[in-house]
Amino acid sequence: MKNYIHISILLILFTNAEIAIGQDSEQSKYSIQFNLGISRTLHYNQPVNLFQSLEGSFPEEQKPRNSPNVNLSIYRDFNSKNSLKIGFGSSSYRFWERAQSNVGDGITFVTVESVRRWSFYGLSLGYRFILNPERKVRLFVENEFIYEIPTQNYALLKSGLAIQPKIGGILNLNDNWSILVEGFFKSALTMYSDKNFGEDYKPYAYGVQLGVNLRI
């Protein structure tokens, strides 16, 4: 039920923003954008124990690791400065962990180092503002909400809502094609771990993306 509530809230925000911006524009334009990026990912309040076992495992240290992300979006331009987007993509959160793990006798523990990875699909709704629309290289700021769904049925993880502000530049190649580069910071707004689990898992990521935009 909470999954549907999150999606409904995003759609309501998107619709209201579209109406408000659309009142100032008589004509809309659409474009398709493909982004590919790399991010540095971790979570707040580490170490967080996400791998409970009967024998016992206790993380001592966790550090960020790089992770790729990909996204396909549709933008609607209401005027030269304002546009809204809806997109779909995939990403993951990775981190290195050193933990004390029990060998099975309940007494003896050994040090184990590993890299953990969680993968998600994401539905995004966002807004972009162009700072200098008259230039060939256009600077922009953008913000989006992302509803993330695990690609597998992880025991201690559930879907979550994240926010991702961006700043970047767009280079126009011609009337239809443009390329862009953007820096971003993504932060969980809701807890991604199960509510019955004792520790809060709220991931974050920061990195860069390269994109190609085609006006249709």
Side-chain angles (χ1 to χ4, degrees):
M1 179 61 69
K2 289 185 178 181
N3 295 350
Y4 295 108
I5 293 175
H6 288 155
I7 294 177
S8 299
I9 291 174
L10 290 179
L11 291 176
I12 291 172
L13 291 173
F14 181 79
T15 302
N16 290 341
E18 180 178 353
I19 293 173
I21 297 175
Q23 291 173 346
D24 296 330
S25 177
E26 297 179 356
Q27 184 178 5
S28 64
K29 298 180 180 180
Y30 292 88
S31 62
I32 297 177
Q33 182 171 304
F34 175 77
N35 279 11
L36 180 64
I38 188 73
S39 57
R40 197 77 167 162
T41 65
L42 195 56
H43 45 270
Y44 300 104
N45 301 319
Q46 69 272 358
V48 174
N49 188 2
L50 292 171
F51 307 93
Q52 290 183 334
S53 63
L54 295 177
E55 294 81 10
S57 179
F58 306 97
E60 295 180 326
E61 186 178 8
Q62 294 168 337
K63 295 182 179 180
R65 285 295 181 267
N66 293 333
S67 181
N69 57 83
V70 61
N71 187 268
L72 182 66
S73 303
I74 297 177
Y75 282 81
R76 181 178 179 181
D77 298 336
F78 293 95
N79 48 53
S80 61
K81 291 187 175 182
N82 299 283
S83 60
L84 296 178
K85 64 162 285 187
I86 182 170
F88 178 80
S90 64
S91 62
S92 60
Y93 298 98
R94 297 176 69 244
F95 61 91
W96 170 88
E97 177 181 85
R98 184 180 70 238
Q100 293 297 319
S101 181
N102 190 269
V103 298
D105 60 5
I107 300 176
T108 306
F109 286 82
V110 296
T111 300
V112 177
E113 296 184 3
S114 60
V115 175
R116 305 293 192 177
R117 181 175 184 265
W118 307 115
S119 297
F120 291 83
Y121 293 124
L123 174 66
S124 59
L125 298 175
Y127 166 76
R128 174 183 287 173
F129 180 76
I130 303 293
L131 300 175
N132 54 340
E134 72 285 352
R135 300 292 182 87
K136 184 176 182 180
V137 178
R138 297 175 293 161
L139 302 179
F140 69 89
V141 291
E142 184 173 323
N143 194 23
E144 62 183 335
F145 292 95
I146 307 174
Y147 180 65
E148 298 191 297
I149 306 170
T151 60
Q152 295 176 314
N153 186 23
Y154 300 120
L156 300 175
L157 292 182
K158 61 179 181 179
S159 57
L161 182 64
I163 189 171
Q164 183 169 260
K166 302 177 180 179
I167 184 170
I170 303 173
L171 173 63
N172 292 332
L173 301 179
N174 52 48
D175 291 340
N176 296 321
W177 290 93
S178 59
I179 58 176
L180 68 152
V181 59
E182 56 191 22
F184 67 90
F185 176 77
K186 181 169 68 171
S187 175
L189 293 176
T190 61
M191 188 172 64
Y192 280 44
S193 52
D194 187 87
K195 64 180 180 180
N196 296 319
F197 186 52
E199 298 186 72
D200 294 351
Y201 175 61
K202 298 182 69 174
Y204 65 85
Y206 56 92
V208 295
Q209 290 181 329
L210 300 176
V212 178
N213 187 286
L214 172 62
R215 191 168 298 281
I216 55 178

